[in-house]
Amino acid sequence: MSKKEMNDKLNNKPEEAKENRMALDDAARVKVLSPAMLVFKRFIRNKLAILGTCVLVILFLFCFLGPLFYPYAETEIFYGYRDQNGSYAYAQIRKDYVSYWNPECDSDTKTNLDLVERMVNSAIKEIVESGSDSTNVQAADGHYYTLKKFDDEVYALTDSSYVLVADFAGNMLKGIATFRDGHTKPEGDFDKAAAAGISEGSFEFGGLTYDIVKDPKGTKLDYDIYCDLSTGGVDYYFVSTVLAPTFYSEADYQTYSKDSGFKYHAYLSNYTDSKGFEYGGEKFTTASEEGVITLYKGEEKCAYFSAFAASGKDSSVHLSAEFQQALEGVISEMRDSSNAAVGSTATFTFPSPKYVDGKVVTDAEGNTVLEDKVYTVKTEQNDYTVWCDQSTYVILIYDAPNADHLLGTDANGMDVLARIMYGGRISLMVGFVVVFIEMILGVIMGGIAGYFGGWVDNLIMRLVDIFYCIPSMPILIITGAMFDALKMDYKVRLIWMMAILGLLGWAGVARMVRGQILSLREQEFMVAAEASGLSTSRRIFRHLVPNVMPQLIVQATMGLGSVIITESTLSFLGLGVKHPLATWGNMMNNITQKVEYLSAYAYIWVPIGCLICLAVIAFNFVGDGLRDAFDPKMKR
Amino acid sequence: MSLNNNKTLQDKPIVEVHGLKKYFPIKSSFFKMTIGHVKAVDDVSFTIKPGTTLGVVGESGCGKTTMGRTMLRLYPITEGKVLYRGLDLDKLTVSQLRAALPAEARKTVAVDKASLIAYFEENGIDINSLSPAALNKLRPNIQIIFQDPYSSLSPRLPIGEIIGEAVKQHKIVPKEQYDEYISKIMKACGLQEYHKDRYPHEFSGGQRQRICIARALAMNPKVVVCDEPVSALDVSIQAQIINLLKDLQKERGLTYIFISHDLSVVQHISDDVAVMYLGSMVELASKDALFEKPLHPYTQALLSAIPVPDPDVKMNRIVLDGDLPSPANPPKGCKFHTRCSKCMARCSEEAPRFHEYEPGHFVACHLYDKGI
């Protein structure tokens, strides 16, 4: 700007000003300001008060308008997938023998074998102890079955049809004593033939071979006569073993592996010459590899036999054969080492499908992405459990802040930010309602005491003294516990709590109002009002109350902060506002279960703590600002 | 406003005070027992003619203000009568009027409004006999202007409201004329119409006192007690206010009781002047009589203290010794004898009568008692 321009500007200025000049007696010259306007002007000059007001306005918008724009509700619970360490599978080394049926056996036999099955384990024990290869097991109907040892841990039960037909008192040669039920004495000289065969232990009669066995239990010299009625050879009805086939691909062999007939054939094939069998139109072969019997379907390895059994925690978990082999290896290592006590653990890693949000991650070609996962094997009393992190569909409790939940979730899986908004509503509302109750009670009681004086004043002031003496915290804690005992509805409880807080707080207001009214009552303008013959109500409401109003407003604003603190404290202790209603206090109660939660879930309590702090400080700033603004002695 | 031209009223005093007493009890601090009384107003009697001004002078603490307020029953009256005439008695109901009748008149006066009002016009109505509700209805007729224009205005009401609220309550003018009426009153008291929406703190002391006067006048009073209305103001404003009061009196036929400790102001405004000392009236006379020929030694001392604006005139001051005695324990006999230059033996034993020494000149001093 050149000098000339500046001069021009300066020269022009007085003319502009001339137009705006006002006459000295202009009514508009002195701006008319009501006392309220003056207070407002003084208030907005106070920077802290303005700051406090801004904070409060923002808080109110946040709490009362925020939820309208925020997608989550106050008590909405969020679910999702999360890696959770849990039991994944169980494993054990079988000691009891399991049985598989020949699918072709008839129902009568099956009924019989059902009865025998219970005796199989003790019969096997007998075999192992005696070191023999087979033993007879008698069914309830007297039918004998032969339990034969096929291999280590593999036994077969066959219908021997080798039955006791008669008891024979041989020594005395008295002849056949009795024939068993269902057997009749053949025609001819059966007795003589039997007597002749005693020394050989067997004889033939009518084309059948009979065995004569000396009854070891008999006190007399008795013999039992057995006869193998069947001529058709050995028929395996039943295989009993601790080795179970473990299928490599559960999906492919599911139909077979559920079918005990398939397993029956699979066992048997290892002991037949052909080492193979046909089932469901497909051909399978068995082979022994490094001492492990393996089942092939064509060229493909489909199962191996093992005394080791592992199963998923439920039907959704399928354990692959590779996994089971790895697990078996770890467990046998544990058994070999001294690490076999109950409770001891071992870990191993195994490449497992990667899960994100409960779904298996696949790469561009559709192949499952694998990642190394750590599995922990724990020794239990009789078996082993496998633990690992699993992608589980759960309530998202204590979720860390993320894009969906800006402040995370709380102990109930509810969105912290949403609850802060709704909680702010309750906290602020409690503050306002309680202060309103305090003010109403305080103004009425203090007003009566101050205006009428005398014994009324005395009575009310003693009541105020009594209320001052009441320790409010214990009372609130006791009433809180009482509400708990009454199992009060949370909404009713909230109303009661506000009523009690209001009842406990009016005394200070009443005392202040009384003091103010006492001094105002003696002011000359009150005498003037009386001299004008104004009605009592007009004197109180037009002359006294407006003059008490400033102090009331200040007290109310200051009171708001402390009520919010009290409410938060109570709710934090679990004695105030109850779940599912959110308040700033009871939200912090979420993280009090464990000490370490305090640091772990700082994202829950830090924002809430800041908000409580902000609200209380803002209310105090505004209160201070109002007090200064109302004080006529305060200079501009 | 209409001037009250009732002939009979003109003759009869508008205010009659008979033996008015106001004692404030002194209570012991602990048991709240009354251990004595402050005799702020002790047996005061006087009358005021309508349309005149009675000036009341006296030292600070002599009971002027208390007397003024007690006359309006702003303090409960301990004893005595304050009779008023010419009040708007038709605002009261028959039962309120009847309740105000003195006991001796109960039987003689007929129970209808006209005869009751006629009785009260004749004998005056005792302010102490009115029920609170009835008193409130009559309040507009007897107004007061306070000494302190700062504390006598409610700080949270705009001026229009302060002046008008009682007008509204007592329905002094119909609703539709209300705004106009307030503006008129304000103009009459030297205020501008646009002041209506302003608040007391925006005014100077003089303006505030005008607001107080406007408030009192808006009630259309018959009697106005002016309780030192100018003592809080500087001299130039004092003149304005005094002249305003005089103009208003001329215009409306007001009766003033003008309380002041400033003799020159009283001389300027009053028709009659009363001198008070320690709660009692010591002298009452027309202004001229009192200033020309003061009788009571206390009045003489007071008048001698008026400064003369001429340096050459030698002032012949009568200086009073000592302080005003305590009204709780006034001296025996003549209350002034402790400070009186003409004290006699009789003075300390016998209280002088307040009697008419010359026509219209009352004095309470043994010097002028006819018994001497």
Side-chain angles (χ1 to χ4, degrees):
Chain A
M1 199 186 279
S2 72
K3 212 171 187 179
K4 192 174 174 284
E5 273 174 317
M6 198 135 77
N7 281 337
D8 285 346
K9 207 152 201 174
L10 281 171
N11 289 336
N12 288 337
K13 207 178 176 184
E15 285 186 17
E16 282 168 24
K18 252 178 231 162
E19 285 168 29
N20 295 331
R21 192 184 289 165
M22 282 188 286
L24 256 174
D25 55 345
D26 195 331
R29 194 179 166 83
V30 183
K31 247 192 173 176
V32 178
L33 287 179
S34 70
M37 267 312 283
L38 274 177
V39 167
F40 178 71
K41 280 194 95 175
R42 282 201 215 112
F43 181 77
I44 56 172
R45 281 197 198 98
N46 187 334
K47 277 177 195 140
L48 278 182
I50 289 300
L51 180 74
T53 314
C54 290
V55 168
L56 284 183
V57 167
I58 292 167
L59 263 184
F60 271 83
L61 289 179
F62 171 73
C63 294
F64 286 89
L65 291 183
L68 301 180
F69 301 102
Y70 197 65
Y72 303 138
E74 183 181 7
T75 52
E76 199 175 339
I77 296 171
F78 294 92
Y79 297 87
Y81 289 92
R82 190 182 270 180
D83 279 352
Q84 219 171 29
N85 198 286
S87 65
Y88 176 69
Y90 307 100
Q92 63 180 69
I93 308 295
R94 261 190 229 105
K95 292 190 182 95
D96 282 350
Y97 294 85
V98 282
S99 44
Y100 301 96
W101 294 98
N102 180 354
E104 282 131 37
C105 72
D106 57 63
S107 60
D108 279 356
T109 321
K110 217 168 198 172
T111 323
N112 263 335
L113 288 172
D114 265 345
L115 300 166
V116 177
E117 195 182 349
R118 278 186 242 134
M119 297 185 271
V120 164
N121 274 303
S122 56
I124 291 173
K125 207 174 165 191
E126 208 175 285
I127 292 177
V128 173
E129 278 171 9
S130 66
S132 63
D133 276 351
S134 68
T135 183
N136 284 333
V137 182
Q138 191 183 20
D141 67 342
H143 208 90
Y144 272 83
Y145 295 90
T146 308
L147 187 67
K148 279 190 181 165
K149 184 172 182 179
F150 259 33
D151 200 348
D152 283 347
E153 312 288 357
V154 183
Y155 298 87
L157 197 66
T158 66
D159 181 1
S160 64
S161 297
Y162 185 74
V163 291
L164 177 72
V165 287
D167 294 326
F168 176 43
N171 203 23
M172 311 297 286
L173 293 179
K174 281 178 183 168
I176 301 302
T178 47
F179 270 84
R180 291 288 168 127
D181 293 344
H183 300 283
T184 48
K185 196 174 183 179
E187 291 196 8
D189 212 350
F190 183 79
D191 287 356
K192 267 189 181 169
I198 283 176
S199 53
E200 281 127 58
S202 67
F203 65 97
E204 277 189 24
F205 189 85
L208 287 171
T209 309
Y210 295 89
D211 288 335
I212 299 171
V213 177
K214 193 179 172 183
D215 186 357
K217 283 179 264 169
T219 48
K220 297 172 194 166
L221 204 54
D222 285 354
Y223 297 89
D224 293 341
I225 298 173
Y226 290 89
C227 174
D228 192 352
L229 295 171
S230 76
T231 46
V234 179
D235 194 2
Y236 299 100
Y237 287 106
F238 187 82
V239 174
S240 178
T241 178
V242 290
L243 298 179
T246 305
F247 291 91
Y248 280 103
S249 171
E250 188 69 26
D252 284 0
Y253 300 100
Q254 203 162 19
T255 47
Y256 303 131
S257 60
K258 295 256 160 60
D259 185 348
S260 76
F262 176 78
K263 288 180 180 170
Y264 166 84
H265 285 297
Y267 281 118
L268 268 189
S269 65
N270 194 37
Y271 304 102
T272 55
D273 297 334
S274 63
K275 298 268 178 196
F277 66 99
E278 199 169 319
Y279 196 84
E282 310 215 41
K283 278 192 173 168
F284 296 91
T285 49
T286 46
S288 187
E289 287 175 0
E290 296 165 8
V292 179
I293 303 161
T294 314
L295 190 67
Y296 285 89
K297 179 190 179 186
E299 290 298 307
E300 183 198 349
K301 239 188 216 181
C302 80
Y304 73 97
F305 291 80
S306 157
F308 173 81
S311 60
K313 62 167 182 193
D314 55 40
S315 59
S316 67
V317 178
H318 303 295
L319 303 177
S320 66
E322 289 85 357
F323 180 81
Q324 291 193 30
Q325 271 176 328
L327 182 59
E328 197 179 345
V330 172
I331 288 174
S332 48
E333 256 175 49
M334 283 171 78
R335 280 156 68 92
D336 292 346
S337 69
S338 57
N339 191 14
V342 170
S344 58
T345 57
T347 55
F348 69 102
T349 55
F350 191 80
S352 313
K354 192 177 171 183
Y355 282 89
V356 169
D357 286 342
K359 281 176 195 140
V360 178
V361 179
T362 50
D363 58 19
E365 286 135 40
N367 298 321
T368 308
V369 177
L370 297 178
E371 61 175 3
D372 276 351
K373 210 174 193 176
V374 178
Y375 294 87
T376 309
V377 184
K378 220 185 245 175
T379 313
E380 306 280 353
Q381 202 68 41
N382 293 315
D383 54 2
Y384 302 86
T385 49
V386 183
W387 293 69
C388 71
D389 288 343
Q390 294 161 72
S391 183
T392 325
Y393 194 60
V394 288
I395 296 175
L396 294 173
I397 59 167
Y398 296 126
D399 211 358
N402 55 46
D404 285 343
H405 307 288
L406 291 178
L407 289 176
T409 58
D410 65 5
N412 300 305
M414 298 173 183
D415 186 72
V416 171
L417 185 57
R419 281 183 79 75
I420 285 179
M421 288 178 187
Y422 286 98
R425 279 184 181 188
I426 299 276
S427 287
L428 294 172
M429 187 197 72
V430 167
F432 274 94
V433 171
V434 168
V435 166
F436 184 73
I437 295 171
E438 278 177 10
M439 291 296 137
I440 292 285
L441 277 176
V443 168
I444 290 174
M445 300 298 263
I448 290 172
Y451 190 80
F452 293 104
W455 66 269
V456 182
D457 180 26
N458 230 326
L459 183 80
I460 292 176
M461 281 306 111
R462 294 301 78 76
L463 198 65
V464 165
D465 289 342
I466 289 170
F467 268 86
Y468 257 111
C469 294
I470 294 176
S472 48
M473 224 359 126
I475 290 275
L476 288 167
I477 288 171
I478 289 166
T479 48
M482 205 173 75
F483 294 158
D484 278 348
L486 289 173
K487 296 193 168 56
M488 207 176 255
D489 180 64
Y490 61 90
K491 279 179 188 159
V492 180
R493 188 192 170 112
L494 174 66
I495 293 167
W496 272 105
M497 199 193 76
M498 293 192 294
I500 289 169
L501 279 174
L503 265 179
L504 288 173
W506 64 272
V509 182
R511 191 173 269 188
M512 189 272 293
V513 169
R514 172 194 173 257
Q516 284 293 319
I517 285 186
L518 272 186
S519 78
L520 285 172
R521 204 175 59 161
E522 300 305 320
Q523 294 266 317
E524 220 152 50
F525 66 81
M526 287 309 293
V527 183
E530 199 191 340
S532 304
L534 293 180
S535 58
T536 310
S537 64
R538 215 181 151 79
R539 266 183 260 167
I540 293 177
F541 292 110
R542 294 289 297 171
H543 292 252
L544 285 181
V545 172
N547 284 295
V548 184
M549 221 56 199
Q551 284 87 343
L552 267 188
I553 292 171
V554 172
Q555 183 120 357
T557 326
M558 298 286 211
L560 274 170
S562 67
V563 169
I564 288 175
I565 291 265
T566 312
E567 184 274 326
S568 301
T569 313
L570 275 184
S571 300
F572 175 75
L573 293 176
L575 295 162
V577 181
K578 285 281 190 181
H579 187 83
L581 280 183
T583 77
W584 289 343
N586 73 10
M587 288 183 70
M588 291 220 264
N589 194 13
N590 263 331
I591 49 149
T592 50
Q593 283 110 336
K594 283 183 188 166
V595 178
E596 58 266 26
Y597 280 15
L598 214 67
S599 54
Y601 305 128
Y603 52 84
I604 294 178
W605 65 264
V606 168
I608 299 170
C610 289
L611 281 181
I612 293 175
C613 247
L614 265 182
V616 174
I617 289 175
F619 275 124
N620 284 351
F621 278 172
V622 172
D624 274 341
L626 281 173
R627 195 188 51 207
D628 290 348
F630 277 124
D631 186 357
K633 280 170 206 144
M634 205 190 100
K635 295 283 172 239
R636 319 196 139 197
Chain B
M1 285 283 109
S2 66
L3 232 155
N4 202 330
N5 285 323
N6 195 322
K7 278 272 175 331
T8 54
L9 264 176
Q10 290 278 313
D11 304 338
K12 293 220 170 193
I14 189 164
V15 183
E16 274 181 51
V17 177
H18 295 296
L20 182 67
K21 286 182 186 171
K22 176 64 204 171
Y23 293 175
F24 292 105
I26 304 167
K27 301 212 164 165
S28 70
S29 57
F30 190 68
F31 287 111
K32 303 274 164 179
M33 295 204 341
T34 307
I35 52 171
H37 287 97
V38 173
K39 295 174 179 175
V41 180
D42 195 7
D43 202 3
V44 169
S45 305
F46 59 90
T47 58
I48 309 169
K49 289 221 169 75
T52 62
T53 303
L54 172 70
V56 180
V57 292
E59 284 174 78
S60 300
C62 72
K64 308 183 294 288
T65 299
T66 309
M67 187 192 76
R69 291 194 180 186
T70 313
M71 280 173 68
L72 299 188
R73 224 178 110 186
L74 291 175
Y75 294 143
I77 296 169
T78 310
E79 212 185 301
K81 277 182 181 170
V82 185
L83 301 173
Y84 288 93
R85 285 191 182 84
L87 305 186
D88 297 333
L89 291 181
D90 36 328
K91 278 184 185 168
L92 303 188
T93 62
V94 176
S95 59
Q96 282 171 336
L97 283 170
R98 205 177 132 64
L101 275 177
E104 67 269 16
R106 286 269 156 94
K107 282 172 189 164
T108 55
V109 181
V111 189
D112 64 277
K113 211 166 182 179
S115 46
L116 282 167
I117 291 175
Y119 173 83
F120 285 123
E121 284 306 313
E122 183 61 28
N123 297 301
I125 189 163
D126 185 4
I127 196 169
N128 206 18
S129 64
L130 291 165
S131 67
L135 178 63
N136 262 0
K137 283 187 186 170
L138 292 182
R139 284 258 188 239
N141 288 166
I142 34 177
Q143 281 296 305
I144 182 165
I145 298 164
F146 290 97
Q147 175 176 7
D148 182 3
Y150 294 91
S151 73
S152 60
L153 298 174
S154 178
R156 305 218 160 255
L157 289 178
I159 301 311
E161 186 84 355
I162 289 176
I163 297 171
E165 60 176 346
V167 175
K168 247 187 228 164
Q169 172 153 350
H170 294 294
K171 299 188 182 68
I172 285 165
V173 290
K175 241 184 194 168
E176 57 273 14
Q177 290 172 29
Y178 170 76
D179 284 328
E180 199 189 323
Y181 178 75
I182 299 298
S183 308
K184 210 174 105 191
I185 291 283
M186 284 175 72
K187 264 179 212 154
C189 297
L191 295 164
Q192 298 305 310
E193 205 176 339
Y194 63 79
H195 287 153
K196 229 182 235 181
D197 299 323
R198 297 195 176 178
Y199 286 84
H201 68 267
E202 297 173 61
F203 292 92
S204 67
Q207 282 173 314
R208 278 163 174 248
Q209 199 56 284
R210 281 178 226 233
I211 294 165
C212 291
I213 293 169
R215 171 168 64 185
L217 290 182
M219 311 297 289
N220 196 15
K222 304 284 189 292
V223 180
V224 180
V225 175
C226 305
D227 183 3
E228 308 202 32
V230 293
S231 60
L233 308 173
D234 63 62
V235 182
S236 61
I237 310 286
Q238 279 187 11
Q240 280 179 22
I241 298 291
I242 297 291
N243 291 335
L244 174 66
L245 285 172
K246 278 191 106 173
D247 293 345
L248 290 167
Q249 183 174 38
K250 220 176 275 168
E251 209 176 297
R252 295 161 183 249
L254 297 171
T255 308
Y256 288 142
I257 295 154
F258 195 93
I259 297 165
S260 181
H261 55 257
D262 188 337
L263 285 167
S264 50
V265 170
V266 169
Q267 188 177 15
H268 182 68
I269 196 169
S270 305
D271 299 306
D272 297 323
V273 179
V275 181
M276 281 186 78
Y277 183 78
L278 211 58
S280 305
M281 215 164 256
V282 293
E283 191 163 358
L284 168 62
S286 70
K287 174 178 78 183
D288 297 334
L290 191 110
F291 279 90
E292 292 300 320
K293 193 186 164 195
L295 295 178
H296 198 280
Y298 178 62
T299 315
Q300 289 164 3
L302 275 186
L303 293 183
S304 76
I306 299 176
V308 183
D310 185 349
D312 298 334
V313 176
K314 185 151 196 300
M315 276 180 68
N316 189 18
R317 273 198 71 182
I318 304 164
V319 180
L320 293 175
D321 297 328
D323 288 327
L324 195 69
S326 161
N329 187 21
K332 226 181 134 195
C334 177
K335 284 173 181 171
F336 187 57
H337 83 261
T338 52
R339 299 163 80 188
C340 186
S341 52
K342 295 166 184 167
C343 183
M344 303 176 293
R346 190 181 172 197
C347 292
S348 57
E349 277 150 31
E350 193 186 333
R353 290 180 308 123
F354 186 61
H355 65 282
E356 196 165 9
Y357 177 66
E358 282 166 9
H361 198 140
F362 295 81
V363 67
C365 186
H366 290 303
L367 287 174
Y368 308 101
D369 206 331
K370 295 208 167 109
I372 299 170

